[in-house]
Amino acid sequence: MAQVGIVMGSDSDLSVMSKAAEVLDEFGISYEMHIISAHREPDLFFQWAKGAEERGIKVIIAGAGMAAHLPGMCAALFPMPVIGIPMHTTSLGGRDSLYSIVQMPSGIPVATVAIGGAKNAGILAAKILAVSDPDLLARLKEYSAKMASEVEAKDARLQEKGFKNYKKD
Ligand code: RP5
């Protein structure tokens, strides 16, 4: 049974949304992934979001662009956490998506990540699930430790080479 529901408004969101799925794969978290448009197919969307709890979904990751109502409507219909990913847009640079997703009315929160921030959405979903999964929590701690040692290695290189030679060889 999938623990996370990934949903996006269009296949034009897929390359960004895939980054959330890749993170879940990395942590061994099961998910279902769908393209469902809240505006173009409202009845199907309603059915999907309403049925998510019964299907065993614990967190929804929803990405959309422009007048991005999909994450907010997921939060209206699904009783557990919803993470929203605003898509970059050519006309308004994704501010349209960001404001649509982040400016939710009181009582219906959407945990909104950065424009295009699908990787963080995946990590946040993992952290939410880790609250009741000690093995997953251990994997998240390892992940953080690995990130820290990567930065440490970069600083060690900077100290050794200096900034002028940092990028060379
Ligand atoms: C939204 O409209 C989608 O989430 C997408 O980001 C945007 C554009 O969709 P397409 O016109 O490319 O299908 O519903």
Side-chain angles (χ1 to χ4, degrees), residues 136-148:
L136 177 56
L137 182 59
R139 295 201 290 283
L140 276 159
K141 286 179 180 175
E142 267 172 40
Y143 180 86
S144 298
K146 188 168 166 252
M147 266 194 308

Side-chain angles (χ1 to χ4, degrees), residues 9-10 12-13 40 63-66 87:
S10 168
S12 49
D13 307 328
R40 293 167 177 154
M66 299 160 71
M87 293 298 137

Side-chain angles (χ1 to χ4, degrees), residues 123-139:
I123 296 169
L124 183 55
K127 289 192 172 205
I128 291 167
L129 294 170
V131 165
S132 58
D133 183 338
D135 291 343
L136 177 56
L137 182 59
R139 295 201 290 283

Side-chain angles (χ1 to χ4, degrees), residues 8-13 37 39-40 63-67 70 87-89:
M8 66 206 89
S10 168
D11 64 354
S12 49
D13 307 328
S37 169
H39 293 134
R40 293 167 177 154
M66 299 160 71
L70 186 81
M87 293 298 137
H88 185 265
T89 58

Side-chain angles (χ1 to χ4, degrees), residues 27-158:
F27 286 112
I29 297 168
S30 56
Y31 56 88
E32 56 173 58
M33 193 177 197
H34 292 279
I35 299 164
I36 304 175
S37 169
H39 293 134
R40 293 167 177 154
E41 38 187 15
D43 294 337
L44 178 66
F45 166 71
F46 192 91
Q47 205 186 322
W48 181 84
K50 265 290 200 197
E53 182 185 3
E54 209 175 287
R55 292 195 305 281
I57 301 290
K58 302 285 183 261
V59 184
I60 288 180
I61 299 175
M66 299 160 71
H69 295 116
L70 186 81
M73 283 308 295
C74 283
L77 295 165
F78 177 70
M80 283 172 276
V82 175
I83 302 168
I85 308 171
M87 293 298 137
H88 185 265
T89 58
T90 46
S91 45
L92 295 172
R95 288 170 194 80
D96 42 355
S97 324
L98 173 65
Y99 294 161
S100 300
I101 295 173
V102 81
Q103 290 289 35
M104 287 298 291
S106 177
I108 319 288
V110 171
T112 308
V113 295
I115 296 168
K119 185 172 178 180
N120 267 358
I123 296 169
L124 183 55
K127 289 192 172 205
I128 291 167
L129 294 170
V131 165
S132 58
D133 183 338
D135 291 343
L136 177 56
L137 182 59
R139 295 201 290 283
L140 276 159
K141 286 179 180 175
E142 267 172 40
Y143 180 86
S144 298
K146 188 168 166 252
M147 266 194 308
S149 61
E150 281 165 9
V151 180
E152 247 176 66
K154 286 173 186 172
D155 184 56
R157 181 179 172 84
L158 180 61

